Amino acid sequence: MESSASGDGSSAADAATAAAAASSSSGPSTSAPAFSAGGVAGPSATHYLAKRVLHGSAVQHVARGRFRSEHLWEIVLCKETSLELVVVGEDGVLQSICEQSTFGIIKDVGVLDWRFKQFGIWPEIEGKEILVLLSDSGKLSLLYFSCQMHRFIAIENIELSKPGNMRDQLGRILAIDHDSAWVAISAYEDAFAFVHVGKSPHVYGPNREIVERANIMHVVYKTSDIRGTVWSMCFMRTRCSMDEYYPVVAMIINRKGSDVNELSVYALAANDGGIQHLSSFSEPGPLALDISEIPQLDGFALLFRAGDILFVDLREPKDICCTIRISITGSLIGGQISVEDSCRGLDVDDDVAACALLELRDSGNNIMMDDNYMAIDGVDNAGSMKSRIICSWSWEPDAVRGRPRLIFCLDDGEFHTLEFNWDIEGVKVLPERVHRGLPCRPLLWMNRGMIAGFVEMGDGMILQLEHGRLVHKSAVQNVGPILDLAIADYHGEKQDQMFSCCGMCPEGSLRVIRNGINVEKLLRTEPIYQGVTGLWTLRMKRTDTYHSFVILAFVEETRVLSVGLSFNDISDAVGFQPDVCTLACGLIADGLLVQIHSKGVKLCLPTTYAHPEGAPLTSPVSVVWYPDVTISVGAVGQNMVAVATSNPCCLYILRVRSLSSFQYELYETQHVQLQYEVSCISIPEEDSKLRTVSSAVGGGDVRKRKGNNLAAKVDVRMFAVIGTHKPSVEVVSLEPEEAFRLLSIGSMSVNNAFGAPISGCIPENVRFVASERFYILAGLRNGMLLRFESDTSKDHYFPGSFYKDSFTPCVNTPLQLIAIRHIGITPVGLVALRDSANADIIVLSDRSWLLHASRHSLAYSSISFLPASHVTPVSSVDCPSGLLFVAENCLHLVEMVHGKRLNAQKFSIGGTPRKVLYHSDSRTLLVMRTGLTGASCSSDIVQIDPNNGILLSRFKCEPGETARCIQIAKIGSEQVLIVGTSKSNDHPMMPNGEAESSIKGRLIVLSLDTLGSPRESSSFIPTSNLSSSSHTGSFPEIVGYATEELSSNSMCSSPDDVCYNQIQLEQMTGHLRSLTHVTFAGAVLAVYPYLDRYVLAAAGNTLCVFGFVNENPHRMKKYAVSRTRFTITCLKTYASRIAVGDCRDGLLFYSYNESLRKLELIYADPAQRLVGDVALLNCETAVVSDRCGSISVLSCPRLEVSESPEKNLAVHCSFFMGEIAMSIQKAAFRYRLPIDNETDPVLESAYNCVVASTMLGSVFVLIPLTSEEHYLLQDVQERLSVHQLTAPLLGNDHAEFRRRGIPSGVPSILDGDMLVQFLELTSEQQQTVLDAAPSGKGPPRSISIFQVMRTLERVHYALN
């Protein structure tokens, strides 16, 4: 083993995290070890690392293609700053394949179909479609999916403009022609280009050597003469000669100074390569919004307008005509859309045209919306438009020839299909309304009649077209936007969870987001299983769908239980030896079970009492084989048993044969004496190494790699993987007469620099895995996980020594150590999720992890469950995909939902939840809602049980009043809730940032003494008819992998709509009682407690300090007032420091002089900043987000006593997220590494972590670093940002992207998303990265892999 991994023989462990919001009046209240044992970040820490722990879920663009194989259809979800590859199962459930950050902002997406072009010139992309992206980099990015790296990798970034962010620079909209040879690209306005793309073959020298490898060739043709704003475009197949004009593009353009949009046709002139304007078309009527060519009908297009669709003939691009008008202006419940043969003489809707011009395609949909930058803070429902607008559409991918079909969604939630039938009489249009639901954008028609619709601020849906109706199949979770969050401990399991306000009316919801992969808890036994040493599940036959037996091994006992939701002891009917500790067990043949213990090997045939297909006897049949020495380990395979002894060190193979009915013999076939003791054995399934190879790499790929010699698949030797005390990992043949011939070996070199014992490096578990290439996993006793691979020839999956009949010399092939990771400090266990060599694997140590078998290197995710000592998969009728954990002396039956895209529980509470607080005393949530549709009020504050979403108590605002902010404060011995309101639903500030003077507000004090506590069980009243009214209470809804439901507020035509349980208001335990209130001349947008005896309130641009006379919450008194220039949007306090964020001047620090009763401005932001939120880390340091997508750390400069107190804050570091953070919370993380000194004191830097949630549904965490850690990781980041495998996917300059909008000279916060890619590389790739130096910086300094890995693993464990 390399020195970088062995170290002291220990590994990262005890990495459980705990986050707690900082107190307003004192320091942190939970102890936590420091982030680093190497130093203290402290109050003056200026170094931070930002890591995204939850990718955004708001989908802006979607593409369908064959990205992994020519046989597989997948979907790419583009979420502005990240990509996600997903597949849709036959049940309609979306399953995530991979997700990666783009380090750039995606603008548009397309797909190049190069599957059948130029075979053999580029093996990596052969048979795959290419993903095309436009982004803020100003480059056209061509990506292919690397099965080896399990992620998209750029094969070319074609530069179009630099930097690509200006309105007249290329990089806004793209279109791809039918032959995947041309890409059309436009800017927001004026600029347009054609890009011709293709693949060039290898260039060979005179001796057939490769002089130049295959690459992407491209030619760019540009113009800046569009003179208008491009709204939409598509390629057209016209009757123009290719020798004259080709290609041809039709686009919707708004000319400067015009109040209507026109259809214009541009083409590339073949004679001079210039882009020419061929013609324009403007039909009187509503505003044109979008255009699409009709598949299979060359030269025809649909022009989508506000209220209708035009069928346009562009076969002659210089003579455009419209033949059919399809009206969509009917009411929501009205009749079908109408089709007219002529569209002449329609009236122009000037109101719609003028309004639509305010909004470009950038807004995320073509619904006419208020473009005020503060719209997210204002009213919940935009005004309805006169004309219905198509907000999304998609063509059927495999339509009947000559009958293309389109599905589109209107902005009122109606779905329609249009079928175009071409016959001798012309084109006939057959419209049909198929669904009524939520408006979706984007929309994608997939195979098997399934349609994916994504809702802007709510859950999307997978629908299926059946008999002319769309039937709901599953929900697609979307937590964006996250308007607020609260952090709390997961009671009883010491797991972090966040309560977040997600979405907006009518899809607003409260989500409980937990880290790691979700498990649904089904059953927990009493704590009666102490001292468990082994856990297995067995089938009665290999072909059985479900397991039949659970085997529990104890120190001196073995018990056999039946499988089901209840575990019954059937040990006597199975035949296992009950008074021994079972070392291993398995199914050797159908109906025959094997138990291995230290004294011998026992073959058992259970009776019919244990299983219906057992022996019809009164007692089980059993045969025992006894060795001369003690057995140490063993394994059971198909028709064989392998056991090893320790003194002497021998390895035995046993087989079974039938003598007569119900009589069997267990006999030894061969044995060998070994030099080193065997520590563990693993026998792959007889056909798993063959069958799973085919499924892992695709049938087509196997045939290619085998040279179409399918017989080679059956000539692989039977083998076993063993771990030895050498220490080593070895692959030995199990073929008869080969005497355990060594096929391959992986040795581990031990480095005792840290005093690690050699015994710690001994394998505890080994496992063969068949993925894109085969590899061996080894879990060591010191908590480390290793991956070994072996070089193979071009046409073979295994090394030559693995084949019985091969022309390859049968020499031992060494296993190469590819990757090393620290998992914990206890021995590592490896348990596959199913009986397959390509199954994902649960890795057990101090914590439970799920290792993704198909991923490159070692990639794993935490499992959201208790630390467990043992686990086994269990499949039954009631729980087909269950897992049985042993934790806290209990058996836990759970179901893992690792295909689920988000580990989040959803409560649809109605309206728009804008603020959430966790009340620790009652262990409940206080949620502020707006946008309610009830007649009594439009806004309220509710108390909710986080376990089930039950509404416990409520405070209603007055009619016409909207709650704007809430905070918990302590007045004397009593806790109260401070509420700020606005007496109007209008925006509380003007566009220039000044407060709206006509709006009044209130500061309300509510008593929390009467808060109800969560009840163990609550009475639910089932309701069969759910309405979208939010005043009726909460609708509990758990969104899962196999049980995802459509939101209760969504309209769905599925016959299987779920009736949610609903709690009635009359069942609430009480109401939140108002104690007192104060009226303000301005909306109260921010409140916060101060020094445990005051309350701060911001109304408009006025900051007020209130106190309570004699600590009486009924008697509130104003003590001080101060004014800012612009509207105050947020308030935070720490001890005596007050942080004020406004919408123009940025962050302001105040202090309150109690003796003078005066607010004093201490420090001011050095730059204007539209503050999103702020968190005070201490009296001197604050973290602030702005509405431009950046987050910064500001602190007070060191001042001399004689200097003026009014000084600018110093910006210590900043980070451009590319997403707007709406909520920032201070948090504390509790974790350590085993190699850290456990006697280190609790350092303050552990509390200076920050959690930020964004509009796109992302969650970022900022972790403080020491100077040494920052210096190390900054160097690694620079090298990763230019390495081929880890550089920004979209071609961005990483440093420029993360520093966007940051003043010159301000250090950048380190990018955790970039850095963690280092953990995904193999050891060889990691060394290559560290050996390289960024250009222009001289020779690279020496960096230890072990040092980098230890620092990054600390971050990885903390955030998982």
Side-chain angles (χ1 to χ4, degrees):
M1 187 180 304
E2 297 176 356
S3 61
S4 62
S6 58
D8 63 349
S10 59
S11 60
D14 195 19
T17 62
S23 170
S24 63
S25 58
S26 61
S29 57
T30 56
S31 62
F35 169 73
S36 171
V40 183
S44 60
T46 59
H47 305 299
Y48 282 85
L49 179 147
K51 174 72 176 68
R52 190 198 323 250
V53 295
L54 179 66
H55 282 277
S57 55
V59 178
Q60 277 80 40
H61 306 280
V62 62
R64 173 180 178 267
R66 296 178 173 98
F67 302 109
R68 291 186 296 165
S69 165
E70 60 182 293
H71 307 288
L72 302 173
W73 281 107
E74 294 109 359
I75 299 172
V76 171
L77 307 181
C78 301
K79 297 177 285 187
E80 196 158 298
T81 58
S82 64
L83 282 178
E84 184 179 11
L85 182 68
V86 300
V87 295
V88 179
E90 294 184 0
D91 55 357
V93 175
L94 212 64
Q95 301 180 44
S96 182
I97 301 299
C98 77
E99 190 166 18
Q100 63 188 104
S101 296
T102 58
F103 307 103
I105 298 176
I106 299 171
K107 299 295 185 181
D108 206 356
V109 63
V111 176
L112 288 173
D113 188 358
W114 286 352
R115 290 173 296 147
F116 309 111
K117 291 187 177 182
Q118 301 170 329
F119 282 105
I121 68 171
W122 206 328
E124 293 86 351
I125 64 176
E126 193 170 299
K128 301 176 183 178
E129 293 184 288
I130 304 300
L131 187 67
V132 184
L133 294 176
L134 275 181
S135 67
D136 60 342
S137 67
K139 295 180 174 66
L140 181 67
S141 302
L142 307 184
L143 316 178
Y144 81 98
F145 189 84
S146 170
C147 294
Q148 181 185 18
M149 296 294 296
H150 201 73
R151 55 178 297 176
F152 284 99
I153 294 179
I155 53 175
E156 189 70 18
N157 282 298
I158 303 171
E159 186 165 310
L160 305 170
S161 59
K162 192 172 183 177
N165 297 312
M166 302 295 103
R167 295 179 64 84
D168 58 351
Q169 291 181 325
L170 294 172
R172 173 61 192 95
I173 306 172
L174 70 80
I176 298 177
D177 78 326
H178 312 79
D179 299 324
S180 293
W182 292 89
V183 182
I185 300 162
S186 78
Y188 283 93
E189 56 187 23
D190 298 342
F192 173 76
F194 283 115
V195 182
H196 187 225
V197 292
K199 294 183 289 186
S200 66
H202 295 308
V203 177
Y204 295 95
N207 299 322
R208 299 300 296 169
E209 73 276 12
I210 298 177
V211 178
E212 183 179 343
R213 303 193 66 85
N215 58 16
I216 299 294
M217 56 183 185
H218 66 273
V219 182
V220 181
Y221 305 89
K222 298 182 181 180
T223 183
S224 300
D225 296 330
I226 300 298
R227 295 187 181 88
T229 301
V230 180
W231 285 46
S232 176
M233 63 182 179
C234 67
F235 280 91
M236 297 298 304
R237 291 183 176 179
T238 68
R239 293 173 178 172
C240 290
S241 171
M242 294 183 64
D243 296 333
E244 183 180 7
Y245 296 110
Y246 187 82
V248 179
V249 165
M251 59 179 69
I252 305 296
I253 300 177
N254 175 253
R255 303 292 183 183
K256 294 180 179 178
S258 175
D259 59 353
V260 296
N261 290 350
E262 67 177 40
L263 171 61
S264 294
V265 179
Y266 287 82
L268 184 67
N271 56 357
D272 60 0
I275 298 176
Q276 294 187 12
H277 176 244
L278 299 185
S279 65
S280 294
F281 173 82
S282 181
E283 185 71 25
L287 190 72
L289 304 173
D290 212 341
I291 188 171
S292 172
E293 185 182 20
I294 303 176
Q296 304 183 32
L297 301 184
D298 294 349
F300 290 96
L302 293 182
L303 187 63
F304 302 102
R305 306 196 303 177
D308 64 16
I309 305 171
L310 302 186
F311 186 88
V312 184
D313 185 351
L314 290 98
R315 289 175 294 180
E316 296 292 342
K318 295 184 179 180
D319 184 21
I320 304 173
C321 63
C322 172
T323 59
I324 300 175
R325 174 184 180 270
I326 305 170
S327 174
I328 55 174
T329 56
S331 66
L332 182 67
I333 312 297
Q336 287 284 358
I337 57 179
S338 60
V339 180
E340 302 175 7
D341 291 334
S342 174
C343 57
R344 306 294 181 184
L346 296 178
D347 296 330
V348 178
D349 192 337
D350 292 330
D351 292 337
V352 174
C355 181
L357 284 175
L358 296 176
E359 190 250 280
L360 296 177
R361 199 169 176 229
D362 235 19
S363 66
N365 61 31
N366 285 327
I367 305 172
M368 308 314 173
M369 298 174 63
D370 183 357
D371 63 344
N372 190 309
Y373 60 83
M374 298 298 290
I376 194 70
D377 303 314
V379 297
D380 296 277
N381 298 299
S384 59
M385 299 304 303
K386 297 178 182 178
S387 300
R388 294 198 290 170
I389 298 167
I390 295 176
C391 57
S392 60
W393 49 268
S394 181
W395 291 98
E396 184 179 13
D398 301 314
V400 178
R401 184 171 180 82
R403 298 177 64 181
R405 284 200 299 174
L406 173 83
I407 186 169
F408 63 87
C409 177
L410 299 174
D411 57 351
D412 56 20
E414 275 195 15
F415 288 73
H416 294 262
T417 60
L418 293 178
E419 182 176 318
F420 298 87
N421 191 356
W422 180 273
D423 55 25
I424 57 175
E425 299 180 359
V427 177
K428 295 181 180 179
V429 182
L430 305 175
E432 185 176 12
R433 187 176 63 199
V434 294
H435 186 63
R436 178 189 171 195
L438 292 170
C440 295
R441 181 181 175 91
L443 192 68
L444 181 67
W445 198 328
M446 304 174 291
N447 54 332
R448 302 193 302 272
M450 290 189 183
I451 290 101
F454 300 91
V455 180
E456 274 197 320
M457 297 187 183
D459 286 346
M461 62 200 80
I462 303 296
L463 308 168
Q464 187 160 28
L465 190 60
E466 296 179 357
H467 310 295
R469 300 291 292 174
L470 283 179
V471 178
H472 177 260
K473 300 291 290 186
S474 67
V476 181
Q477 293 186 84
N478 174 23
V479 299
I482 300 179
L483 301 180
D484 193 25
L485 61 84
I487 305 171
D489 183 54
Y490 193 177
H491 300 293
E493 294 194 5
K494 299 178 183 179
Q495 297 279 343
D496 290 334
Q497 61 181 356
M498 293 186 298
F499 304 104
S500 59
C501 296
C502 301
M504 294 188 70
C505 182
E507 280 295 288
S509 63
L510 181 69
R511 312 268 179 150
V512 185
I513 303 174
R514 298 187 179 97
N515 199 13
I517 297 171
N518 184 46
V519 293
E520 303 290 346
K521 304 172 183 64
L522 304 178
L523 177 69
R524 172 174 175 164
T525 67
E526 295 296 324
I528 57 175
Y529 296 94
Q530 295 90 355
V532 174
T533 60
L535 177 66
W536 304 268
T537 49
L538 301 179
R539 291 179 169 85
M540 189 65 174
K541 293 183 177 179
R542 294 189 180 276
T543 57
D544 286 352
T545 303
Y546 305 117
H547 291 103
S548 301
F549 311 104
V550 176
I551 289 83
L552 278 165
F554 300 87
V555 177
E556 295 180 347
E557 180 187 6
T558 294
R559 297 171 61 185
V560 182
L561 310 178
S562 61
V563 170
L565 289 180
S566 60
F567 301 103
N568 299 318
D569 195 325
I570 55 173
S571 301
D572 295 338
V574 172
F576 275 20
Q577 188 77 18
D579 57 351
V580 296
C581 174
T582 299
L583 302 176
C585 61
L587 180 68
I588 192 171
D590 287 348
L592 297 177
L593 309 182
V594 169
Q595 177 192 23
I596 303 174
H597 54 87
S598 61
K599 303 299 182 183
V601 180
K602 188 173 186 179
L603 176 72
C604 303
L605 175 61
T607 67
T608 53
Y609 178 80
H611 193 278
E613 298 185 20
L617 304 172
T618 56
S619 60
V621 176
S622 62
V623 178
V624 183
W625 175 86
Y626 294 103
D628 298 330
V629 292
T630 302
I631 296 174
S632 56
V633 293
V636 181
Q638 187 170 354
N639 298 320
M640 71 175 64
V641 178
V643 294
T645 60
S646 57
N647 189 17
C649 302
C650 295
L651 186 61
Y652 296 84
I653 291 295
L654 310 178
R655 295 185 182 272
V656 64
R657 57 188 171 204
S658 175
L659 302 178
S660 62
S661 179
F662 303 129
Q663 291 188 358
Y664 301 91
E665 180 184 7
L666 197 61
Y667 64 100
E668 175 190 334
T669 59
Q670 54 186 319
H671 79 274
V672 65
Q673 186 164 350
L674 305 175
Q675 183 177 2
Y676 297 97
E677 183 180 352
V678 175
S679 62
C680 52
I681 305 176
S682 173
I683 302 177
E685 293 287 331
E686 172 67 17
D687 60 343
S688 68
K689 56 183 179 295
L690 311 173
R691 180 185 67 248
T692 57
V693 166
S694 176
S695 62
V697 300
D701 292 338
V702 169
R703 287 190 291 272
K704 291 175 187 176
R705 300 180 71 163
K706 301 291 184 183
N708 292 326
N709 181 14
L710 298 182
K713 292 200 299 181
V714 299
D715 289 339
V716 179
R717 286 181 167 87
M718 293 183 293
F719 62 86
V721 183
I722 64 174
T724 74
H725 283 242
K726 183 178 179 178
S728 66
V729 173
E730 302 177 5
V731 182
V732 296
S733 172
L734 298 181
E735 291 291 332
E737 311 304 329
E738 285 199 343
F740 300 102
R741 180 175 176 273
L742 184 64
L743 303 179
S744 191
I745 182 172
S747 299
M748 308 174 196
S749 61
V750 181
N751 186 329
N752 278 330
F754 293 91
I758 295 179
S759 60
C761 299
I762 295 173
E764 175 74 11
N765 268 275
V766 290
R767 182 166 182 84
F768 164 82
V769 182
S771 183
E772 177 67 15
R773 60 186 305 169
F774 95 93
Y775 60 92
I776 304 295
L777 285 177
L780 307 188
R781 292 181 178 178
N782 63 5
M784 288 193 291
L785 180 65
L786 282 63
R787 171 169 170 160
F788 291 90
E789 291 181 5
S790 178
D791 292 332
T792 59
S793 62
K794 178 180 178 181
D795 297 326
H796 289 81
Y797 187 80
F798 295 103
S801 60
F802 282 56
Y803 295 94
K804 289 186 286 186
D805 300 318
S806 173
F807 294 106
T808 305
C810 293
V811 296
N812 296 336
T813 305
L815 292 170
Q816 299 177 357
L817 183 58
I818 298 299
I820 307 170
R821 293 295 296 272
H822 295 81
I823 296 294
I825 57 174
T826 58
V828 176
L830 304 173
V831 180
L833 286 181
R834 62 182 189 277
D835 297 332
S836 173
N838 66 346
D840 289 345
I841 296 170
I842 295 179
V843 181
L844 293 181
S845 185
D846 305 347
R847 297 166 60 186
S848 302
W849 306 84
L850 180 69
L851 185 137
H852 309 285
S854 61
R855 297 284 293 274
H856 182 63
S857 187
L858 290 172
Y860 47 86
S861 305
S862 63
I863 298 175
S864 182
F865 193 67
L866 293 166
S869 60
H870 298 83
V871 65
T872 185
V874 56
S875 178
S876 64
V877 176
D878 300 310
C879 183
S881 302
L883 289 172
L884 197 60
F885 282 94
V886 177
E888 296 181 340
N889 299 325
C890 302
L891 294 183
H892 301 259
L893 179 61
V894 304
E895 188 168 15
M896 180 178 291
V897 200
H898 66 282
K900 180 178 175 180
R901 297 173 60 247
L902 292 172
N903 184 1
Q905 184 180 9
K906 175 183 176 183
F907 299 114
S908 295
I909 62 174
T912 301
R914 293 193 175 271
K915 297 290 182 183
V916 59
L917 299 174
Y918 180 72
H919 188 246
S920 57
D921 290 355
S922 63
R923 290 165 56 173
T924 59
L925 301 176
L926 297 169
V927 181
M928 184 187 83
R929 303 188 298 175
T930 63
L932 305 180
T933 57
S936 59
C937 71
S938 61
S939 181
D940 65 4
I941 291 91
V942 293
Q943 181 199 13
I944 294 176
D945 184 349
N947 298 311
N948 48 33
I950 292 178
L951 192 68
L952 299 177
S953 55
R954 183 187 191 193
F955 172 80
K956 296 182 182 180
C957 294
E958 296 178 353
E961 185 177 37
T962 301
R964 297 289 184 180
C965 53
I966 56 174
Q967 284 294 336
I968 298 174
K970 189 173 183 180
I971 308 301
S973 60
E974 185 176 352
Q975 279 190 333
V976 296
L977 183 68
I978 309 298
V979 182
T981 73
S982 170
K983 300 287 284 185
S984 171
N985 288 326
D986 296 333
H987 292 299
M989 68 185 74
M990 295 184 287
N992 63 1
E994 296 180 1
E996 184 63 60
S997 58
S998 62
I999 296 181
K1000 305 296 181 183
R1002 286 200 302 164
L1003 179 65
I1004 307 172
V1005 180
L1006 304 180
S1007 174
L1008 296 181
D1009 287 345
T1010 58
L1011 280 186
S1013 298
R1015 290 164 286 180
E1016 294 298 326
S1017 60
S1018 301
S1019 174
F1020 284 86
I1021 297 179
T1023 58
S1024 59
N1025 185 17
L1026 297 179
S1027 75
S1028 59
S1029 299
S1030 55
H1031 68 277
T1032 54
S1034 59
F1035 309 127
E1037 176 187 2
I1038 299 177
V1039 182
Y1041 168 72
T1043 59
E1044 294 193 41
E1045 310 290 353
L1046 189 68
S1047 167
S1048 60
N1049 291 335
S1050 300
M1051 296 169 287
C1052 179
S1053 62
S1054 169
D1056 302 319
D1057 281 349
V1058 177
C1059 287
Y1060 296 99
N1061 292 323
Q1062 180 178 346
I1063 193 74
Q1064 301 297 320
L1065 289 181
E1066 290 75 9
Q1067 293 184 333
M1068 291 189 302
T1069 58
H1071 292 269
L1072 297 173
R1073 180 168 52 91
S1074 175
L1075 301 177
T1076 185
H1077 72 271
V1078 177
T1079 302
F1080 287 84
V1084 181
L1085 299 183
V1087 295
Y1088 215 82
Y1090 183 55
L1091 297 176
D1092 277 348
R1093 53 187 178 274
Y1094 299 107
V1095 169
L1096 302 176
N1101 67 335
T1102 302
L1103 176 63
C1104 301
V1105 179
F1106 286 88
F1108 295 87
V1109 179
N1110 298 327
E1111 296 185 347
N1112 185 350
H1114 296 271
R1115 301 180 61 187
M1116 188 162 53
K1117 180 180 180 180
K1118 184 187 297 184
Y1119 286 130
V1121 177
S1122 181
R1123 285 180 171 82
T1124 61
R1125 293 199 302 166
F1126 299 102
T1127 304
I1128 299 172
T1129 58
C1130 59
L1131 282 174
K1132 292 291 174 66
T1133 67
Y1134 187 97
S1136 61
R1137 179 70 73 238
I1138 302 169
V1140 175
D1142 77 8
C1143 64
R1144 280 293 185 270
D1145 284 338
L1147 185 63
L1148 308 172
F1149 275 14
Y1150 281 85
S1151 139
Y1152 177 60
N1153 190 319
E1154 292 188 87
S1155 60
L1156 300 178
R1157 292 189 177 182
K1158 181 180 179 181
L1159 282 166
E1160 299 174 347
L1161 177 63
I1162 305 298
Y1163 299 105
D1165 202 318
Q1168 285 197 335
R1169 193 189 312 268
L1170 178 55
V1171 175
D1173 199 9
V1174 63
L1176 275 171
L1177 303 182
N1178 48 59
C1179 289
E1180 298 179 348
T1181 308
V1183 179
V1184 60
S1185 68
D1186 60 41
R1187 300 282 177 114
C1188 296
S1190 295
I1191 192 165
S1192 302
V1193 179
L1194 284 70
S1195 66
C1196 309
R1198 301 295 181 181
L1199 300 176
E1200 298 295 336
V1201 178
S1202 59
E1203 292 189 56
S1204 169
E1206 189 170 338
K1207 292 288 183 178
N1208 281 344
L1209 292 165
V1211 183
H1212 281 300
C1213 51
S1214 295
F1215 183 78
F1216 179 71
M1217 298 183 292
E1219 305 179 30
I1220 300 174
M1222 295 296 297
S1223 176
I1224 299 180
Q1225 303 284 339
K1226 183 179 176 181
F1229 287 88
R1230 181 171 59 243
Y1231 58 97
R1232 67 175 177 83
L1233 289 177
I1235 54 180
D1236 292 337
N1237 187 352
E1238 296 186 19
T1239 62
D1240 286 338
V1242 176
L1243 303 178
E1244 187 174 352
S1245 64
Y1247 300 108
N1248 288 343
C1249 300
V1250 174
V1251 179
S1253 60
T1254 74
M1255 294 285 289
L1256 294 180
S1258 298
V1259 176
F1260 286 82
V1261 174
L1262 270 67
I1263 298 178
L1265 301 175
T1266 65
S1267 297
E1268 293 79 8
E1269 289 167 334
H1270 181 270
Y1271 180 61
L1272 171 70
L1273 295 182
Q1274 186 178 39
D1275 204 342
V1276 176
Q1277 177 177 291
E1278 291 177 358
R1279 304 181 194 202
L1280 287 169
S1281 65
V1282 296
H1283 190 269
Q1284 179 184 3
L1285 297 178
T1286 54
L1289 195 64
L1290 305 177
N1292 292 77
D1293 181 289
H1294 179 261
E1296 183 277 330
F1297 176 72
R1298 290 305 188 192
R1299 291 186 53 82
R1300 188 169 299 169
I1302 299 174
S1304 177
V1306 175
S1308 177
I1309 295 173
L1310 293 182
D1311 188 349
D1313 290 331
M1314 175 63 70
L1315 287 167
V1316 295
Q1317 292 183 104
F1318 189 83
L1319 299 177
E1320 300 174 3
L1321 303 176
T1322 65
S1323 299
E1324 181 180 357
Q1325 292 168 339
Q1326 290 172 348
Q1327 191 62 57
T1328 302
V1329 170
L1330 297 183
D1331 289 343
S1335 59
K1337 293 202 174 184
R1341 71 183 182 97
S1342 177
I1343 301 177
S1344 164
I1345 289 183
F1346 175 73
Q1347 188 180 10
V1348 177
M1349 290 290 289
R1350 189 175 79 169
T1351 306
L1352 290 179
E1353 282 178 338
R1354 185 181 289 114
V1355 175
H1356 180 265
Y1357 275 68
L1359 302 183
N1360 278 275

